[in-house]
Amino acid sequence: MENQKLSEKVSARIRQEILDGRYKAGDKIPAEPELMKTYEVGRSSIREAIKSLAMAGILKVQQGLGTFVNELQPEENMTQRLRVADFDEINVVRKLLEEEIVKLAVENHTATELSEIEKHLNLRKQAIINEDRQACTNADISFHMAIAHASHNKVLAELYQNFSYTIRAFFTKREAQGIGHFAISHHLHEDLFRAIKARRKKQAQYIIREILGNNY
């Protein structure tokens, strides 16, 4: 979880530096050793950050040449909109996105992907027991992200990845509420996992609507 958290911070900083003009379209970004020094993280965090930015179309990795900023970045416009959008508007789109993701995950998940979903579900439960709010947030987002990957639709997964930054910011604003809303909804997350595992599509979609209807 810690590596994932660090990679997300690196990813966000690289995005911002592109927006600020430090790296322009077509520019080659520094090699891994330099990035490790700049962001003071390990190689695995750098690689995970680069991978996520490449999946989002922001960076382009060329074997033997290096990593470059993509020429076209329309996705950044969406990122900017998400930063200032009203959460109620965000949640409407998130509901549509997650219902489709869950439906596809029921149909397409593999045993490996199911294990990944279950892993983050267990981490979510442990974080609740430990009353670790940050770990709850990380595990919750990773749980839903694992379901997105299990959909086998890369576009939906990338869209959800963008939404995850906004969702994380929303959870941060609710920090004063502690872990209560995570604990209250955990049984629904367990039910969702079981429905996906059993390939019960209608039940899984009903449960995700319950989760999102209460902003869990």
Side-chain angles (χ1 to χ4, degrees):
M1 292 303 295
E2 183 63 22
N3 278 344
Q4 182 182 24
K5 181 181 175 183
L6 289 174
S7 69
E8 288 175 356
K9 288 183 178 179
V10 172
S11 175
R13 285 185 62 181
I14 293 175
R15 283 171 178 260
Q16 190 57 53
E17 286 169 354
I18 292 171
L19 288 173
D20 293 342
R22 177 179 176 185
Y23 303 125
K24 296 180 174 59
D27 282 356
K28 180 180 178 180
I29 69 169
E32 284 182 2
E34 187 175 342
L35 291 173
M36 288 164 63
K37 289 181 181 179
T38 299
Y39 301 118
E40 299 180 328
V41 297
R43 190 180 300 274
S44 62
S45 295
I46 293 295
R47 287 183 174 176
E48 196 63 35
I50 297 298
K51 180 182 176 182
S52 68
L53 291 170
M55 286 180 63
I58 296 169
L59 297 179
K60 177 171 60 177
V61 179
Q62 294 185 301
Q63 197 68 29
L65 296 176
T67 303
F68 299 83
V69 180
N70 262 337
E71 294 288 341
L72 298 175
Q73 298 176 54
E75 177 271 340
E76 281 301 324
N77 292 329
M78 178 58 73
T79 300
Q80 294 284 25
R81 289 177 188 174
L82 290 176
R83 287 176 182 171
V84 298
D86 180 87
F87 186 78
D88 288 339
E89 293 180 343
I90 292 290
N91 215 32
V92 168
V93 180
R94 184 189 171 200
K95 286 177 183 178
L96 294 172
L97 196 62
E98 290 227 44
E99 282 191 39
E100 186 63 24
I101 283 171
V102 164
K103 183 185 81 171
L104 291 174
V106 168
E107 296 171 351
N108 300 325
H109 73 263
T110 64
T112 299
E113 288 161 345
L114 200 65
S115 295
E116 186 71 7
I117 296 168
E118 186 175 25
K119 179 183 80 173
H120 294 297
L121 179 65
N122 291 336
L123 287 171
R124 190 182 192 279
K125 182 177 182 178
Q126 190 59 51
I128 292 168
I129 293 170
N130 295 340
E131 297 186 2
D132 185 335
R133 195 181 188 290
Q134 185 60 58
C136 281
T137 297
N138 291 338
D140 184 87
I141 291 173
S142 294
F143 170 79
H144 289 281
M145 196 68 235
I147 294 173
H149 287 306
S151 75
H152 290 198
N153 186 307
K154 292 181 179 179
V155 174
L156 284 176
E158 288 172 13
L159 283 171
Y160 193 81
Q161 180 73 52
N162 279 328
F163 269 79
S164 71
Y165 294 107
T166 305
I167 295 163
R168 183 179 294 279
F170 171 68
F171 283 150
T172 299
K173 289 178 182 177
R174 294 176 65 169
E175 190 167 356
Q177 298 181 24
I179 65 163
H181 66 285
F182 288 110
I184 290 169
S185 69
H186 192 73
H187 71 285
L188 289 173
H189 287 72
E190 290 178 332
D191 289 345
L192 177 60
F193 169 73
R194 285 192 287 266
I196 291 172
K197 182 178 181 179
R199 300 191 187 274
R200 296 195 293 266
K201 188 188 304 181
K202 288 185 178 180
Q203 184 181 6
Q205 287 184 296
Y206 173 80
I207 296 167
I208 194 64
R209 284 195 291 269
E210 284 285 298
I211 291 171
L212 297 174
N214 292 285
N215 292 335
Y216 296 144

